[in-house]
Amino acid sequence: MKDHLKDELLELALEAARRAGNLLRDGRPADLGVAATKTSPIDVVTEMDVASEKLITGFLTEQRPADGFLGEEGASIEGSSGVRWIIDPVDGTVNYLYGLPSWAVSIAAEKDGEVIVGVVAAPMRGETYQAVLGGGAHANGEPVRVRHPAPPLSQALVGTGFGYVAERRAAQAEVLRTLLPRVRDIRRGGSAAIDLCDVACGRLDAYYERGLNPWDLAAGELIAREAGARTGGRPGEPASGELVLAASPGVFEELEPLLDELGAWHD
Ligand code: IPD
Ligand code: CA
Ligand code: CA
């Protein structure tokens, strides 16, 4: 594959994420309203989620009219170029709604079904993470790597997240009840994209979650992998909605069978 395609897509993703990040940061209304709910009354979409997705798809369509789109707030276009953009216009909407800083814009580009570019912009951290397939991962232009040497699982800091539906949360709490005494500690940051980038930067030793959608993980998974993380789902399977695990080598091998045994992949 021509590297100039990757370079072009990376530049466009960075610019789209920068513009959307600015809109979200500078345009956050004091009385931010909830525009609609998704899977449950606590799974909200604000007017700013919608505005951000519109900005991103508008900008990218102008630059590359033949590309496809998959966006959380409804963008769904097949396209004819073989390139498809996967967009989470605000990952960490609940944080954004409450004025907490951990939210991000996540933009990935796939070519013929393979993710080749990922950008996660976290404006309130002043950080943008990026990766190109085979080209390493960077934060604000500096190379990043997973934590090395990796600690044993008993000393690992593990991020996770919970779905929005009560039955799933009950099952996730059960997994956590067994896992918590076996690790250093647990973090629930509220943005899957940032969690994956935190694994990439060595700020978490591992992150797992059940129930993610492609837009939550496409960019962050590539960034984590390019930073040296191992990623997957159930043993031997790729990351998917069933289960996503990203961890430093070493921690991954300990956590993968344990999560499988604890049933982290089902409700
Ligand atoms: C959510 C966040 C959260 C994760 C949820 C996601 P949203 O995305 O990434 O951390 O636990 O599973 O749905 O709704 O804020 O875009
Ligand atoms: Ca999300
Ligand atoms: Ca979202």
Side-chain angles (χ1 to χ4, degrees), residues 38 44 49 72-73 88-93 215-216:
K38 291 184 283 187
V44 297
D49 293 74
E72 176 166 27
E73 306 314 336
D88 194 337
V90 185
D91 185 53
T93 293
W215 46 79
D216 298 311

Side-chain angles (χ1 to χ4, degrees), residues 100-183:
L100 288 165
S102 273
W103 52 267
V105 177
S106 175
I107 303 178
E110 58 177 26
K111 170 79 176 144
D112 302 329
E114 182 180 35
V115 177
I116 58 170
V117 163
V119 168
V120 173
M124 307 309 284
R125 283 184 166 193
E127 288 184 340
T128 298
Y129 317 92
Q130 67 188 67
V132 161
L133 183 65
H138 296 80
N140 288 355
E142 295 297 317
V144 291
R145 292 294 294 169
V146 294
R147 178 169 290 271
H148 182 81
L153 184 61
S154 59
Q155 290 165 32
L157 187 60
V158 178
T160 192
F162 311 115
Y164 289 109
V165 176
E167 295 75 44
R168 172 155 300 169
R169 292 178 156 226
Q172 288 172 320
E174 273 309 300
V175 173
L176 204 54
R177 198 170 60 84
T178 316
L179 186 62
L180 182 55
R182 302 203 196 177
V183 297

